[in-house]
Amino acid sequence: MKHDPTLPILIAGSIILLAVGPFLPRWAMFLINVSLCYGIVVLGMMLLMRTGVVSFGHGLYYCLGAYAAGTLDQVFKISDMAVMLVAAVMVTALASAALGLLLRKYRDIFFAMLSLAFSMILYGLLVKTSSLGSSDGFNIAASRIAGITVAGTSVDRYVRYALTVVFAFIAGVFMHRYLNSHMGRLAGAIRDNELRVEYMGASVGNVIHVNYVISAVLAGGGGALAAIAVGHIDPEMAYWTTSGEFVFVGILAGTGSVLAPFLGAFIFETIRSFAYEYSPNTWQMALGITMLVVIMFLPGGLWSLFTRKRKAA
């Protein structure tokens, strides 16, 4: 039996990120922070992709998580990051549990388009809601963590960064253990043959529903952390292009490991940031070329590079 290095890599990576954080320049800390937020969202989408369904509307939960965190500050004057994160998780869990009752009946393009439709409905509602800033959105003042005020201190940015690193670590460990559980292993079986899974006594609908809720909660957590890191939210977070970016990262990274979404998100954000900096009018072309190269030479995503080496060894 081969040793699985996923957990040691997750632990070591988290410790390294937390240790080097105070020494990183602000742009690098922000880049890693946003990359981890995207990685958390794509981690949830990876679970759906393993189950054989692809969501083109996960911007819905990314945005819902961000607005759940933001409205706590805007409406209730609660600016504790931990409370914001818990609120985002609860709101997205409830919303996905309700919408999942409908989506679990659909597959393929119908699942993808229906999820996209829900995302665009939220986008339309937010654009028309003037109390939430309409299309401009509003700023978030996440100034406390567990009751301790950090806003305006020297550790403000590091605390936001560390919160994302810790959440990403917990999400990675949870997903790794879930994928190795009975429910997690059913995902691949459902993708290969739903009928056979039903004959074995498992409920395909229930598994897809549970996986959808888990995926949505991770997207909501990623959205809340991104809102806390950026300090601003707007309806664009629910727009179809945002959902498309998550699918882009999912294909770029592959579904071979829980580490893949974080690697793919970091590469995606790095290419986008530098391409936008040095070629603001053609940065989309750089991302397109990257995707073209990956699909042509690594159809299993970037993570297939590591699986090939392990098989060769």
Side-chain angles (χ1 to χ4, degrees):
M1 183 177 177
K2 288 186 177 180
H3 173 64
D4 186 352
T6 303
L7 282 180
I9 292 175
L10 276 172
I11 295 170
S14 301
I15 292 173
I16 291 171
L17 286 175
L18 289 173
V20 303
F23 307 103
L24 291 172
R26 290 176 61 173
W27 66 266
M29 185 184 288
F30 183 77
L31 178 67
I32 295 172
N33 200 345
V34 174
S35 299
L36 289 174
C37 293
Y38 261 53
I40 292 167
V41 180
V42 178
L43 183 65
M45 289 188 64
M46 185 190 78
L47 178 59
L48 290 180
M49 292 167 79
R50 282 194 175 200
T51 316
V53 290
V54 178
S55 169
F56 283 172
H58 254 43
L60 166 70
Y61 299 109
Y62 183 67
C63 183
L64 204 57
Y67 270 79
T71 49
L72 272 184
D73 171 53
Q74 186 84 350
V75 178
F76 301 104
K77 306 303 177 188
I78 298 174
S79 57
D80 192 303
M81 299 178 211
V83 178
M84 288 176 166
L85 195 52
V86 171
V89 167
M90 291 178 66
V91 168
T92 49
L94 290 172
S96 60
L99 295 182
L101 292 171
L102 175 64
L103 284 166
R104 58 187 282 175
K105 301 175 183 175
Y106 296 89
R107 302 289 185 273
D108 304 323
I109 193 65
F110 304 104
F111 184 95
M113 290 296 105
L114 199 53
S115 61
L116 177 61
F118 286 130
S119 177
M120 292 307 295
I121 288 172
L122 177 64
Y123 172 79
L125 289 172
L126 291 173
V127 166
K128 297 295 182 183
T129 307
S130 57
S131 60
L132 294 176
S134 299
S135 59
D136 293 331
F138 58 90
N139 292 330
I140 296 178
S143 58
R144 300 163 68 87
I145 179 77
I148 303 171
T149 301
V150 294
T153 66
S154 59
V155 297
D156 185 9
R157 289 184 178 276
Y158 178 72
V159 168
R160 298 165 196 260
Y161 165 86
L163 181 65
T164 305
V165 172
V166 171
F167 190 89
F169 170 72
I170 294 171
V173 171
F174 167 79
M175 187 60 73
H176 179 67
R177 294 197 176 282
Y178 180 75
L179 289 175
N180 287 295
S181 69
H182 174 68
M183 283 283 285
R185 292 181 190 280
L186 282 175
I190 290 172
R191 181 194 58 210
D192 294 338
N193 194 325
E194 284 191 22
L195 194 58
R196 185 175 295 172
V197 173
E198 291 282 2
Y199 281 147
M200 291 171 63
S203 169
V204 170
N206 285 344
V207 174
I208 291 178
H209 197 169
V210 170
N211 289 354
Y212 183 72
V213 172
I214 293 172
S215 175
V217 166
L218 290 176
L225 290 166
I228 291 170
V230 176
H232 181 82
I233 56 177
D234 60 54
E236 288 290 323
M237 299 177 81
Y239 201 53
W240 68 269
T241 52
T242 305
S243 300
E245 289 178 354
F246 297 141
V247 176
F248 184 104
V249 176
I251 295 171
L252 178 72
T255 60
S257 167
V258 298
L259 301 169
F262 297 110
L263 173 67
F266 179 72
I267 292 173
F268 172 81
E269 282 298 332
T270 303
I271 293 174
R272 178 164 68 172
S273 298
F274 282 94
Y276 189 79
E277 175 71 20
Y278 295 106
S279 182
N281 296 321
T282 58
W283 65 272
Q284 297 95 335
M285 187 173 68
L287 286 174
I289 292 172
T290 304
M291 178 59 83
L292 186 64
V293 170
V294 169
I295 289 176
M296 287 182 65
F297 297 104
L298 297 168
L302 291 172
W303 196 257
S304 61
L305 279 173
F306 299 98
T307 53
R308 286 180 187 177
K309 285 186 177 180
R310 289 189 69 188
K311 287 179 180 176

